[in-house]
Amino acid sequence: MFVDKLGEIKAIGFDIDGTLYRTWKLNIRVWPHVLCHLNFFLNYSKVRKIMHQTEGDSDFKNQQIRLMAERLNKSVEETELLLQKNVYSGMKKHFTKIRPCNGVVQLIKDLKQAGYKIAILSDFPPEQKGDIWGIRDLCDVILGSEEAGALKPANLPFKTMAQKLDIPAENILYVGNSHKYDIDGSKAAGMKSAWLVLPLSGRFKKSDKADIVFWSYKQLRKILLKK
């Protein structure tokens, strides 16, 4: 296992959106869908900001539906159907043509071969992404933070991931593209963190929390596998 300034790392967790693939690849495909349901998505964005601030609720899904229903002035039943139609099912088809970041699939295969446990932790249901570009079968844990009861950066989803991996948080490296949600969240939960930044502007970003800052999976490979 990798032992360096990070200490001993036994498992590596990955965010999906913006981490396994670049966000712009989704944005150019979904904008017509978003424009067709603009009022819904504007309110959905506001509700998600509220949900990002909660520390944990076993009634997460119903709470989200209730908040959306109030904003849309619709019944809970109507709102639940709209969430399914516009977000969970409606967005699913757009992932079929998105390609993952260069080198990430092979890196995960090689990490698995090297003996690391692999986890996925995403703020959206992982099943929305199908086989997650062939990664699903390699994962020891696949977890949506909604299922855990709180969105990142709350401690709950990260701690739930660690419990399911059966590995102490300090022996887990979490890889994500959002400093606010992925890096702050994983560090607060006691994990190590790797921050994926943009290839150009991201090179100049600094972090006093991320243990690793990288802009290509070739870099992360050299750090973790020394090759």
Side-chain angles (χ1 to χ4, degrees), residues 3-226:
V3 180
D4 204 330
K5 65 176 183 177
L6 299 181
E8 185 175 12
I9 299 299
K10 297 181 179 180
I12 301 175
F14 291 85
D15 170 51
I16 297 180
D17 301 291
T19 300
L20 295 186
Y21 70 91
R22 291 293 187 178
T23 306
W24 66 264
K25 293 183 179 181
L26 176 64
N27 291 342
I28 62 175
R29 288 178 169 81
V30 303
W31 70 264
H33 175 68
V34 172
L35 285 178
C36 285
H37 307 281
L38 186 58
N39 182 60
F40 172 90
F41 278 104
L42 287 174
N43 284 288
Y44 179 69
S45 177
K46 292 176 181 178
V47 167
R48 292 291 280 197
K49 286 182 180 179
I50 295 172
M51 300 302 290
H52 273 294
Q53 296 170 9
T54 63
E55 285 301 314
D57 189 341
S58 59
D59 197 35
F60 177 94
K61 291 184 179 180
N62 288 329
Q63 183 183 357
Q64 179 174 255
I65 292 170
R66 287 194 298 269
L67 288 172
M68 279 295 293
E70 291 173 7
R71 287 189 168 274
L72 297 174
N73 195 26
K74 294 183 179 294
S75 70
V76 168
E77 293 76 17
E78 288 178 298
T79 303
E80 185 174 10
L81 289 173
L82 284 173
L83 277 166
Q84 184 62 42
K85 177 184 176 182
N86 292 341
V87 179
Y88 300 111
S89 297
M91 300 286 281
K92 187 174 182 178
K93 63 182 179 181
H94 296 288
F95 292 101
T96 59
K97 295 182 180 180
I98 293 177
R99 305 305 302 163
C101 292
N102 290 336
V104 66
V105 173
Q106 188 59 51
L107 172 60
I108 291 174
K109 289 179 179 178
D110 292 343
L111 289 170
K112 185 71 174 179
Q113 183 67 32
Y116 292 95
K117 283 190 174 182
I118 303 296
I120 293 291
L121 172 61
S122 174
D123 273 341
F124 288 96
E127 57 268 22
Q128 191 182 44
K129 280 77 175 181
D131 72 347
I132 319 178
W133 301 283
I135 296 168
R136 178 176 291 276
D137 290 343
L138 301 174
C139 293
D140 299 276
V141 171
I142 298 176
L143 178 66
S145 56
E146 291 185 357
E147 174 190 349
L151 300 181
K152 298 177 288 185
N155 276 347
L156 184 58
F158 293 101
K159 289 184 176 180
T160 301
M161 183 182 76
Q163 288 170 358
K164 288 180 176 291
L165 284 167
D166 194 25
I167 291 177
E170 61 265 27
N171 299 128
I172 299 173
L173 173 70
Y174 188 73
V175 183
N177 71 304
S178 169
H179 200 285
K180 181 178 181 180
Y181 298 138
D182 298 318
I183 305 308
D184 289 355
S186 59
K187 293 296 289 185
M191 297 178 182
K192 306 303 189 296
S193 66
W195 185 25
L196 174 63
V197 298
L198 294 173
L200 296 178
S201 62
R203 294 172 189 243
F204 303 101
K205 291 186 176 180
K206 304 294 182 181
S207 171
D208 59 355
K209 291 185 178 180
D211 298 283
I212 298 170
V213 178
F214 72 103
W215 51 87
S216 78
Y217 281 98
K218 182 177 180 180
Q219 289 177 295
L220 190 59
R221 166 184 289 277
K222 287 182 179 179
I223 294 170
L224 297 180
L225 296 176
K226 303 298 184 183

